[in-house]
Amino acid sequence: MKKVFALVDCNNFYVSCERVFNPSLEREPVAVLSNNDGCVVARSNEVKAIGVKMGVPVFKVRDLVAAYGVQIYSSNYTLYGDMSRRVMRTLSQFSPEMEVYSIDEAFLDLSGFAGRNLTEYGRLIHDTVRRWTGIPVSVGIGRTKTLAKVANHIAKKSSRAGGVLDLTDSPYLGHALESMRVIDVWGVGPGFAKKLRNCGIETARQLRDADDKWILKTLGVVGLRSVYELRERVCYGLETCPPVNKGIASTRSFGKPVESLEQLSESVASYTCRAAEKLRRQNLAAGVITVFVMTNLFSDKQRRYFNSETVELPVATSDTSELLNYALAAVRKIYRKGYRFKKAGVLLDSLVDQHKVQGNLFDSVDRSRSRKIMQVFDRINSLMEPDTIRYPAIGLGQPWKTRFQRRSPRYTTRWDELLSVRAV
DNA sequence: TCTGGGGTCCTAGGACCC
DNA sequence: TCTGGGGTCCTAGGACCC
């Protein structure tokens, strides 16, 4: 049976989340910033129209922001994560097989619906998500994931499509590919696009029709797969259960530069706690921990420094206090006086199933006891607020904490931040 | 002054082994 | 004088994604 994939993608997702709870932002220019209020990571159509590019540092567009009265918000991941769950729950009703691809996108397997009018079905999905969650989405339908992406891209831009486009067995497919720049094809980034442009390949259609051997030589097997997918040959199936993580990272920029070992250690301790929580949520244990610290690498004026330390653990663990010991020893080792640190992070690798940890003859830790302690620890923090119980190593004042100066309320997950409505 | 965070996969080259 | 070849594993770096 020939496959049919749909890609459902939330429009300007973070901005749309803000608008659901603050309708006065509708039709206003709105942008949402990355961590530490650094870069623009979500833009309303009005902001796109005035030329603010994705990922630009906000200080570089300050004039545009002022001139057009752009409303700026910090990231509110608690809110976006919760809204994402609502959207995904809604989508799951429309297909037996779904892959949650990112916080704002999901692929649906619609192969079983091939006899129906897929555009109408896409319209139903589109309208239902809007009605049930308030979030506007676009629906693209194609014979491969890459073509569903193509359809989605056009659905989002074309006013005629109205947010839904079906490109399965469509006489319009060739034209659609011709209208699409090669850089907008899923799997083609700036590096590939440059190589292609140098050889005169500008559109998705030219890429589809390129010579296999040449593609393999120039872009490798990854590039060739994308080309096959443009030709309706499925290379990427639906991944319905999320694969187990191979690594876990927790890294952050500081709200203001850190110079002392004490504060640097506090931040690393705090990132270690977060990484360890992620580890336990997936029932994993880490065999390797890496700590890195760095100054501002953009600045030419300040002295720059980057260093990292990797430690192989004698026995893989998910115990926070054990990981803290290694992390804090590592940060002491790579800390240098006299630098203004801007960022630090903790990476956990060699992850294994917590219940299949290879023991060590000289291991002196009571692991079943430590596991029980961590279970209670996580339970309390999930029932109460995060960090209700915490390790003293993460400090109290945390002056280095990442900036979120313009964050909206966490409307859907905190009683004290509920939306209030007044009837007049 | 001010530049995010968290992932995946592939490949080339070196080390090592027989 | 004549100095192999093939396989595996690991790592760093580069590409991509959101």
Side-chain angles (χ1 to χ4, degrees):
Chain A
M1 185 174 62
K2 278 172 106 179
K3 285 279 183 193
V4 177
F5 296 91
L7 174 67
V8 184
D9 184 319
C10 302
N11 301 345
N12 316 331
F13 180 55
Y14 295 172
V15 167
S16 297
C17 290
E18 299 295 344
R19 282 177 168 169
V20 168
F21 295 93
N22 184 354
S24 74
L25 297 176
E26 217 62 60
R27 283 177 290 281
E28 292 288 320
V30 182
V32 176
L33 305 183
S34 63
N35 276 339
N36 221 25
D37 295 343
C39 301
V40 174
V41 293
R43 303 159 295 156
S44 70
N45 291 345
E46 297 77 12
V47 172
K48 290 177 187 173
I50 62 177
V52 174
K53 298 270 180 272
M54 176 68 178
V56 69
V58 68
F59 73 84
K60 287 192 176 172
V61 288
R62 200 174 318 115
D63 292 348
L64 279 176
V65 166
Y68 290 89
V70 178
Q71 312 259 356
I72 300 282
Y73 284 84
S74 303
S75 285
N76 185 344
Y77 293 114
T78 315
L79 178 65
Y80 309 152
D82 190 58
M83 292 304 288
S84 172
R85 271 186 294 278
R86 297 178 187 205
V87 170
M88 298 306 167
R89 209 183 310 136
T90 306
L91 289 178
S92 66
Q93 315 204 345
F94 289 97
S95 166
E97 303 279 2
M98 168 166 107
E99 172 184 345
V100 176
Y101 179 66
S102 73
I103 192 165
D104 69 337
E105 285 173 67
F107 287 103
L108 304 180
D109 185 343
L110 299 188
S111 310
F113 301 81
R116 298 173 58 159
N117 183 327
L118 289 170
T119 306
E120 271 176 23
Y121 197 62
R123 175 74 47 208
L124 181 65
I125 295 173
H126 174 275
D127 294 350
T128 308
V129 175
R130 181 70 195 240
R131 203 171 327 117
W132 291 7
T133 68
I135 300 290
V137 298
S138 300
V139 183
I141 303 170
R143 289 280 176 205
T144 62
K145 283 179 159 181
T146 305
L147 287 170
K149 277 268 187 185
V150 169
N152 190 288
H153 182 84
I154 297 169
K156 201 160 274 180
K157 301 210 154 164
S158 137
S159 51
R160 210 169 30 163
V164 181
L165 181 63
D166 169 24
L167 285 180
T168 58
D169 310 323
S170 165
Y172 181 66
L173 179 58
H175 179 69
L177 293 176
E178 193 148 351
S179 74
M180 194 163 171
R181 294 178 308 168
V182 93
I183 182 81
D184 294 324
V185 173
W186 193 44
V188 177
F192 285 5
K194 192 172 173 196
K195 285 183 185 175
L196 291 168
R197 202 179 326 115
N198 289 341
C199 300
I201 295 181
E202 309 264 359
T203 70
R205 183 171 190 160
Q206 288 175 304
L207 178 62
R208 180 196 68 182
D209 298 336
D211 176 65
D212 288 13
K213 281 209 192 80
W214 181 80
I215 289 291
L216 182 62
K217 203 175 72 202
T218 319
L219 308 183
V221 298
V222 181
L224 189 56
R225 275 182 210 140
S226 292
V227 172
Y228 284 159
E229 286 239 319
L230 289 176
R231 297 178 192 158
E232 304 197 316
R233 179 168 152 188
V234 175
C235 296
Y236 302 106
L238 217 61
E239 290 175 21
T240 47
C241 39
V244 182
N245 267 51
K246 304 210 159 125
I248 284 175
S250 179
T251 73
R252 288 280 178 286
S253 301
F254 302 135
K256 46 181 149 179
V258 161
E259 295 185 45
S260 73
L261 174 60
E262 288 67 37
Q263 286 192 17
L264 197 62
S265 300
E266 277 182 15
S267 73
V268 166
S270 149
Y271 305 153
T272 306
C273 292
R274 289 202 62 244
E277 278 165 17
K278 286 193 216 171
L279 202 55
R280 293 192 295 271
R281 218 173 299 142
Q282 300 182 64
N283 286 312
L284 296 170
V288 171
I289 179 169
T290 300
V291 174
F292 74 83
V293 297
M294 60 195 263
T295 58
N296 187 345
L297 300 183
F298 291 104
S299 163
D300 319 314
K301 293 176 205 127
Q302 293 175 31
R303 291 205 299 151
R304 295 191 219 176
Y305 177 71
F306 173 93
N307 206 349
S308 69
E309 169 77 4
T310 298
V311 186
E312 271 184 55
L313 310 186
V315 178
T317 186
S318 61
D319 183 286
T320 297
S321 28
E322 205 184 346
L323 289 166
L324 276 173
N325 282 336
Y326 291 108
L328 291 171
V331 71
R332 278 194 294 274
K333 194 161 164 185
I334 55 182
Y335 170 78
R336 297 286 181 278
K337 212 172 154 60
Y339 289 102
R340 290 159 63 82
F341 291 96
K342 193 70 182 80
K343 182 174 178 177
V346 173
L347 315 166
L348 302 175
D349 285 295
S350 297
L351 307 186
V352 291
D353 186 320
Q354 200 170 19
H355 304 289
K356 292 182 191 152
V357 168
Q358 186 83 47
N360 178 321
L361 206 52
F362 307 102
D363 189 17
S364 56
V365 181
D366 181 348
R367 301 206 170 260
S368 79
R369 180 168 174 272
S370 107
R371 226 174 354 240
K372 275 182 209 149
I373 294 173
M374 295 317 315
Q375 264 170 18
V376 174
F377 186 96
D378 291 335
R379 182 104 180 108
I380 292 173
N381 281 338
S382 80
L383 285 175
M384 318 284 285
E385 304 276 297
D387 278 347
T388 297
I389 41 172
R390 33 155 79 195
Y391 284 81
I394 70 173
L396 278 175
Q398 303 188 328
W400 41 268
K401 234 183 157 147
T402 307
R403 255 195 315 263
F404 293 95
Q405 270 169 353
R406 322 190 62 133
R407 183 160 62 194
S408 54
R410 288 161 285 190
Y411 299 106
T412 63
T413 52
R414 302 275 286 233
W415 290 114
D416 51 345
E417 299 181 22
L418 276 180
L419 183 68
S420 53
V421 179
R422 200 176 46 199
V424 281

